[in-house]
Amino acid sequence: MNGLWEFFIKKMRRPLLHLLFWTLITTLSYLTYRRVGGDYVWIFVVKEMVVAITLFYIVSWLIAKGVQVRNFYLVAAFYFVGYLWWVSATYWVCDIVEREFEREDRRFDTYLALVLNGGYFKLFTFAKTVELVLDYLFVVTISVGPKLIKSYVEQSNENVRLERDNLIIELNFLKSQVSQHFLFNCLNSIYRMVTTRDPRAAETVLQLSGLMRYMLYDAKDEQLLLQKETGFIGDYVALERIRYDESVRIDLAIQPIDEPFAIFPLLLIPFVENAFKHGPARSRKNAWVRIELTIDDGVLHFHVGNGVNRTVSKEGVGGVGNENVKKRLMLHYPNRHTLRIEESETEYHVYLTIQL
């Protein structure tokens, strides 16, 4: 018996809520008209309910079909078409009341005259529109308004959720890019060290292990201590130094960080990776890389520069990481960051500031 009752409540809850909602709207509309008219005002109440119900369920249908109520022009067009429907129904009902109903209380005649004098098309003059539009907005807003507001909030939240999910996917893709693009070069360098009995081989394996651990495990957290991110950059640059030996000038200047500043993981490394990918990996001629990071009064200043040899063709498209970072900066640090990119024939510079 309890199971049957729960099934009934589950199935009937929504229809009952709708029935209660429209009962309240109908009662409110009747009490509003009853103050200025006689027993015939029920026909106006029916008119208002027909208009409100049709507009409400049209909105519900459009939303179910994926129409975005966040679009101002679509909402404005809906209100305009709704007004045409309401004002036409109002004219028709007023004409019926004028011809078919006896009216002892003449207070309502003023409203009938406003609607009927001059004919149907006179309703769309500016003067009459100003008089009538407030009545329309009252009817529509009190019935359809909550639905529009609810859908607006839900669609906004859904867009934010989708954007976050998309950034998570892009972040995971970025992790795979870093690991795939960088791992094989590191393994080749380690192989050469082992075959030549280079004493740095063991330390290099340890650094590579730290990098992989950071990308696979630590970077899953939403935020990390800035020290971990800068430590990751330091290990990355150390392995790149081994790869290029003394043939490329690589400068790394990271200010010691004493405060527990937090940052979103893998936010800075794409700029570093691109500096090597489009600098020395593209051509050793005019090849250099400089990375600087400082903290000034809670503001992170990050600069990455590299030499460019534009006579050599590009090895591939390298903007995926940068675009990912731009989106993440807009999401996580709105109005709290600046990103400036300067490019010349021989150099490429990225300047980033973040208010932590």
Side-chain angles (χ1 to χ4, degrees):
M1 189 67 180
N2 289 337
L4 182 62
W5 176 251
E6 290 177 0
F7 176 78
F8 175 79
I9 292 297
K10 183 178 180 181
K11 289 295 183 181
M12 296 302 297
R13 180 175 178 271
R14 188 176 182 87
L16 289 173
L17 287 175
H18 279 245
L19 179 61
L20 177 61
F21 175 74
W22 290 118
T23 300
L24 292 174
I25 297 297
T26 302
T27 303
L28 180 62
S29 180
Y30 176 78
L31 293 176
T32 300
Y33 278 107
R34 193 72 181 84
R35 290 182 301 171
V36 292
D39 295 335
Y40 54 85
V41 297
W42 63 266
I43 192 172
F44 285 93
V45 175
V46 171
K47 181 262 298 185
E48 301 288 37
M49 289 303 98
V50 170
V51 172
I53 289 172
T54 54
L55 292 179
F56 179 90
Y57 289 106
I58 286 173
V59 166
S60 300
W61 180 80
L62 291 173
I63 291 170
K65 293 295 183 181
V67 175
Q68 291 286 319
V69 299
R70 298 169 69 248
N71 188 318
F72 169 79
Y73 297 104
L74 287 178
V75 174
F78 165 78
Y79 268 88
F80 175 75
V81 173
Y83 178 74
L84 295 180
W85 167 217
W86 177 85
V87 81
S88 299
T90 300
Y91 183 84
W92 178 63
V93 169
C94 287
D95 184 59
I96 292 175
V97 172
E98 174 74 18
R99 291 185 290 103
E100 304 294 339
F101 289 87
E102 292 292 334
R103 302 180 304 283
E104 296 179 1
D105 190 336
R106 312 303 293 185
R107 290 179 299 167
F108 207 73
D109 287 5
T110 303
Y111 185 75
L112 296 179
L114 170 66
V115 175
L116 297 175
N117 288 352
Y120 174 75
F121 292 103
K122 191 75 171 179
L123 287 172
F124 301 102
T125 60
F126 178 78
K128 286 198 174 185
T129 299
V130 170
E131 292 280 350
L132 294 171
V133 73
L134 291 179
D135 291 339
Y136 163 71
L137 291 176
F138 172 77
V139 172
V140 174
T141 301
I142 200 171
S143 57
V144 182
K147 181 68 175 179
L148 290 173
I149 294 172
K150 178 175 178 287
S151 299
Y152 177 88
V153 172
E154 288 177 347
Q155 290 176 0
S156 298
N157 291 339
E158 178 67 10
N159 287 338
V160 171
R161 186 188 67 79
L162 290 174
E163 186 175 2
R164 286 182 179 274
D165 290 347
N166 183 58
L167 285 174
I168 290 173
I169 293 172
E170 290 182 340
L171 177 57
N172 290 331
F173 176 65
L174 176 59
K175 293 177 186 177
S176 67
Q177 275 191 312
V178 173
S179 59
Q180 291 178 11
H181 185 77
F182 182 67
L183 179 59
F184 290 110
N185 289 327
C186 288
L187 291 175
N188 286 333
S189 298
I190 293 171
Y191 175 77
R192 287 195 301 269
M193 290 180 182
V194 171
T195 56
T196 59
R197 300 181 184 277
D198 191 321
R200 296 176 300 170
E203 181 183 354
T204 303
V205 171
L206 189 62
Q207 288 176 321
L208 180 59
S209 174
L211 286 176
M212 300 307 296
R213 184 182 303 109
Y214 182 86
M215 288 186 290
L216 295 175
Y217 300 107
D218 294 345
K220 289 182 179 180
D221 296 336
E222 186 171 345
Q223 288 196 65
L224 289 171
L225 288 175
L226 181 58
Q227 290 173 323
K228 286 192 173 183
E229 183 81 359
T230 57
F232 175 75
I233 293 173
D235 288 342
Y236 184 99
V237 172
L239 291 174
E240 290 285 15
R241 280 191 173 124
I242 294 172
R243 177 185 174 190
Y244 292 108
D245 295 322
E246 301 297 327
S247 60
V248 176
R249 193 184 83 230
I250 301 173
D251 298 323
L252 177 65
I254 295 180
Q255 174 186 322
I257 301 170
D258 300 324
E259 298 292 329
F261 292 113
I263 194 171
F264 288 86
L266 298 178
L267 195 61
L268 306 178
I269 193 63
F271 300 121
V272 178
E273 185 193 12
N274 282 341
F276 285 100
K277 181 179 179 181
H278 300 294
R282 184 173 166 184
S283 172
R284 301 293 176 90
K285 182 179 179 181
N286 190 37
W288 56 270
V289 175
R290 178 162 182 80
I291 302 157
E292 300 172 299
L293 188 149
T294 59
I295 304 290
D296 183 16
D297 197 21
V299 178
L300 181 147
H301 298 268
F302 187 60
H303 167 232
V304 180
N306 63 274
V308 178
N309 181 6
R310 299 190 182 279
T311 60
V312 180
S313 61
K314 293 184 179 181
E315 295 180 356
V317 179
V320 176
N322 283 356
E323 290 303 316
N324 180 285
V325 174
K326 289 177 183 178
K327 292 177 183 177
R328 295 178 68 206
L329 286 169
M330 290 297 295
L331 179 64
H332 298 306
Y333 299 101
N335 303 316
R336 293 169 52 199
H337 78 278
T338 62
L339 177 62
R340 188 174 85 255
I341 296 177
E342 296 181 357
E343 190 173 3
S344 70
E345 287 298 317
T346 58
E347 297 181 1
Y348 189 90
H349 294 271
V350 174
Y351 298 91
L352 171 66
T353 64
I354 300 176
Q355 184 178 346
L356 300 173

